[in-house]
Amino acid sequence: MPSRLDRITRQRLEKLEELRARGINPYPPRFHRSHTTEQAIALLKQTEAGLTEDNEVSVAGRIMAKRPMGKVSFLDLHDNSGKIQLYCHRDLLSKDDLTLLKDIDIGDIIGISGKPFQTKSGEPTIEVKSLTLLAKSLQPLPEKWHGLSDVDTRYRQRYLDLIANPETKSIFQGRSQIITAIRQFLDQRGFIEVETPVLQPSAGGATAQPFVTHHHALDRDLYLRIALELHLKRLIVGGLDKVYELGRIFRNEGLSTKHNPEFTMLESYEAYADYNDVMNMLEEMVYQISQQVLGTDKVEFGEHTISFKPPWPRLELRQAVTEYSGIDFAQYPEADLLRAKMEAIGLEVDPQKNWARLVDELLATFVEPELIQPTFLLDYPVSMSPLAKTKPGRERVVERFEAFAGGMEIANAFTELNDPVEQRKRFMEQQKEHRAEEDEIEETIDEDFLLALEYGMPPTGGLGVGIDRLVMLLTGQTSIRQVILFPQLKEKP
């Protein structure tokens, strides 16, 4: 027996054929609209204030409600800017338009012409003089509070989520505004935006499992980039002193509320700057963006109110881990010793993890969830940061910081290592460790990057910001899937 959905779809297909039989194209190539719904409402206000004459408008959008009342039908038309009510009186429409009106279903996209007016209840409305079907919807829209409250449907069919939930549209409009504000901030500081390869011969710049593809013409494997860093630093070598890129990154790793296999990163590099300069720039950038996009430096995030007003607290990593976990990792300089201590406090520890990853696990488990207000953790062990410069007078510590807010990492930055001999040594040590552990992470050495360093790279401050997580914070969303239009999902069973 056909389902209700099947019956509705069949009825709409029958309407489609009837329209065509009457000589109506259900999918015409164009419609020239004069105003958005928002502009039509603004024009109405100007007319009522006597600032302009009573004008006719042409608007277009999707029908989201239809209310027949005798000789009159009221329709709600939605476009990207908002909604407006349509007043369709049988005495004002042609015979053909009246017939077409009966065939209009919720979900259809139409164009209309008419005069804006305000009803007695104060509802902005357009008195329709003519209407045109622009796209016949063959699938019924899900009922707003049923089909569209299903999270899986919202992520898999984002177009339905955008149609039915205005708050979803506002999140992604906000995302666009945030990215625009980032570009404006950096451009005003003299940075130039560049583009670097997505397909790379070496997977470098971060510790992550890459996606691998094969180029048939070259007959070689290439990697989807796991970071932007190494190519951007080549540009610093070449004399472009301030560069940034907003680009997609690909890591062949797990899914969570904070992780998606492809995500957006901002990376910037500034010659003659260090990680202190980058810290100051980052907190000022986020503060300015929040003011520009939200009109405030405060956001609601879960049960917390987060303020981005500088200065943000600065804590040494060792101090923070000791305070929140009770373990001073510097007192356990070997992996076996640190693992035993972690197991002694009840942690289940992967025996394959090296010392650096054990420290990172302490950070992720005990410290990160507690950092709700924007906070910098700085001065990391050198073994955790092969691309960062050693801190003067502390040979086992590098000038690195990570920024946290809302209980998650949002940024990572270094005073960049520019000694090519030391850089090669660290790469080789890291590769040796991963091979010894039979790690899934494929560590390759980018020889061209090392060659570039041998020509000389000035002291440089580098920054990486997770755009998706920053958008989560600024829009108050607790899952990365809520701020990525098309997140990766497990295949339906």
Side-chain angles (χ1 to χ4, degrees), residues 46-67:
Q46 291 177 351
T47 302
E48 292 185 332
L51 300 176
T52 186
E53 295 182 2
D54 194 7
N55 290 311
E56 190 170 293
V57 299
S58 296
V59 300
R62 189 181 298 275
I63 298 304
M64 297 296 289
K66 186 178 180 182
R67 301 178 293 278

Side-chain angles (χ1 to χ4, degrees), residues 92-372:
L92 299 175
L93 295 173
S94 69
K95 183 179 178 180
D96 288 344
D97 282 352
L98 280 172
T99 304
L100 178 59
L101 180 62
K102 293 177 184 177
D103 291 329
I104 296 296
D105 293 306
I106 292 174
D108 288 355
I109 297 173
I110 70 169
I112 65 95
S113 295
K115 287 189 175 183
F117 74 99
Q118 190 165 273
T119 64
K120 291 180 180 178
S121 63
E123 179 80 12
T125 304
I126 297 176
E127 183 182 76
V128 177
K129 300 291 182 63
S130 66
L131 62 99
T132 304
L133 179 62
L134 301 179
K136 184 68 183 170
S137 173
L138 301 181
Q139 293 287 337
L141 298 180
E143 296 180 39
K144 183 172 182 179
W145 304 118
H146 297 282
L148 263 294
S149 62
D150 178 76
V151 171
D152 189 69
T153 299
R154 293 178 65 181
Y155 295 155
R156 290 186 190 278
Q157 296 177 276
R158 182 67 84 184
Y159 44 90
L160 293 181
D161 189 19
L162 292 166
I163 289 170
N165 295 318
E167 61 272 20
T168 298
K169 187 178 289 185
S170 73
I171 289 170
F172 290 103
Q173 289 170 331
R175 179 186 177 112
S176 177
Q177 293 166 359
I178 290 165
I179 290 173
T180 296
I182 289 171
R183 284 191 164 104
Q184 290 173 346
F185 178 89
L186 292 170
D187 291 347
Q188 289 168 2
R189 294 175 76 101
F191 285 81
I192 62 169
E193 184 173 7
V194 297
E195 294 172 319
T196 61
V198 173
L199 293 174
Q200 301 184 353
S202 299
T207 302
Q209 182 70 15
F211 289 94
V212 186
T213 188
H214 187 77
H215 192 292
H216 294 290
L218 296 175
D219 192 23
R220 66 184 296 190
D221 286 342
L222 294 171
Y223 303 90
L224 272 66
R225 63 188 179 191
I226 59 173
L228 307 173
E229 180 167 351
L230 301 188
H231 281 84
L232 291 174
K233 289 200 283 194
R234 286 170 168 89
L235 300 180
I236 296 292
V237 171
L240 297 178
D241 285 349
K242 293 185 177 184
V243 294
Y244 75 92
E245 182 172 7
L246 279 155
R248 293 298 260 189
I249 299 299
F250 307 88
R251 297 183 181 176
N252 197 355
E253 299 173 342
L255 302 171
S256 77
T257 57
K258 299 177 185 178
H259 299 89
N260 194 64
E262 56 176 314
F263 56 98
T264 303
M265 282 287 292
L266 162 71
E267 289 200 28
S268 70
Y269 293 85
E270 180 178 359
Y272 312 108
D274 66 8
Y275 78 146
N276 293 298
D277 301 310
V278 177
M279 265 188 278
N280 295 333
M281 183 181 79
L282 175 63
E283 64 185 1
E284 184 61 31
M285 180 175 73
V286 176
Y287 175 69
Q288 284 193 25
I289 289 167
S290 67
Q291 294 278 14
Q292 181 177 333
V293 176
L294 308 177
T296 176
D297 64 275
K298 296 182 175 65
V299 296
E300 300 301 317
F301 191 77
E303 59 188 24
H304 303 284
T305 299
I306 295 176
S307 172
F308 297 108
K309 187 174 182 180
W312 300 354
R314 289 154 165 76
L315 301 173
E316 282 205 12
L317 175 68
R318 179 182 176 185
Q319 171 194 347
V321 171
T322 302
E323 178 181 340
Y324 287 104
S325 74
I327 297 177
D328 180 355
F329 57 76
Q331 299 300 315
Y332 305 91
E334 303 296 333
D336 290 343
L337 296 175
L338 184 55
R339 187 179 297 110
K341 181 62 178 177
M342 292 168 68
E343 289 172 344
I345 64 171
L347 290 179
E348 292 185 13
V349 184
D350 184 348
Q352 295 298 317
K353 286 188 175 180
N354 62 25
W355 186 86
R357 292 195 196 175
L358 294 175
V359 174
D360 193 57
E361 184 172 335
L362 287 172
L363 167 59
T365 303
F366 293 103
V367 184
E368 186 171 329
E370 302 298 325
L371 302 180
I372 305 302

